[in-house]
Amino acid sequence: MASESFATVAKRRSLGVVFIALVSSLIWLSIAIYNKDFSSFVSVTLKTDHTGNSLITDSDVKERGIIVGSVKSVHSNGTGAVVKLDLDPSRVKDIPSNVTAQILPKTLFGEQYVSLNVPAH
């Protein structure tokens, strides 16, 4: 029975370590992309008198039916709620400064979203 040389064993083990490192880095990259770690956003704070129970993190923010961002966080402050919004920087220039917000349901029993209402003038 012939035994393998030290170089062959070392090469196979180093390739195994490289393979494990590659798989680990690909898993980390997919998680980072899902969490939007490489995306830039414009942060906006929305103060409301209530949010209901279905406005959750990562809910949509829409203007005229087009998704322009997402909800980053929802916090109750006793008298109302503070909602942090992350808006797409390329869409922010199309949103006027006097826009109002409304929290609407997607479906009768489903999650809610934030609708940005543009005034007529």
Side-chain angles (χ1 to χ4, degrees):
M1 202 155 111
S3 73
E4 298 180 59
S5 68
F6 177 74
T8 305
V9 172
K11 180 180 177 182
R12 187 173 59 237
R13 287 184 182 172
S14 63
L15 285 175
V17 168
V18 168
F19 177 74
I20 290 172
L22 179 67
V23 169
S24 299
S25 62
L26 287 175
I27 290 172
W28 172 82
L29 180 65
S30 65
I31 291 171
I33 290 172
Y34 178 78
N35 289 333
K36 300 177 184 177
D37 290 341
F38 304 115
S39 300
S40 61
F41 295 102
V42 175
S43 295
V44 177
T45 302
L46 170 66
K47 295 179 182 177
T48 66
D49 56 350
H50 71 286
T51 61
N53 293 331
S54 298
L55 187 62
I56 58 173
T57 304
D58 292 331
S59 293
D60 294 336
V61 176
K62 296 181 180 183
E63 179 198 14
R64 298 180 183 134
I66 299 172
I67 297 175
V68 295
S70 63
V71 175
K72 180 161 179 102
S73 66
V74 180
H75 298 288
S76 177
N77 62 6
T79 60
V82 177
V83 180
K84 302 278 185 179
L85 307 175
D86 280 345
L87 301 178
D88 183 8
S90 65
R91 304 262 184 191
V92 169
K93 64 181 184 221
D94 299 329
I95 301 172
S97 62
N98 60 346
V99 71
T100 59
Q102 192 175 22
I103 300 172
L104 299 172
K106 284 186 177 179
T107 63
L108 186 59
F109 301 108
E111 125 185 21
Q112 296 178 338
Y113 70 97
V114 177
S115 175
L116 300 178
N117 301 321
V118 180
H121 54 300

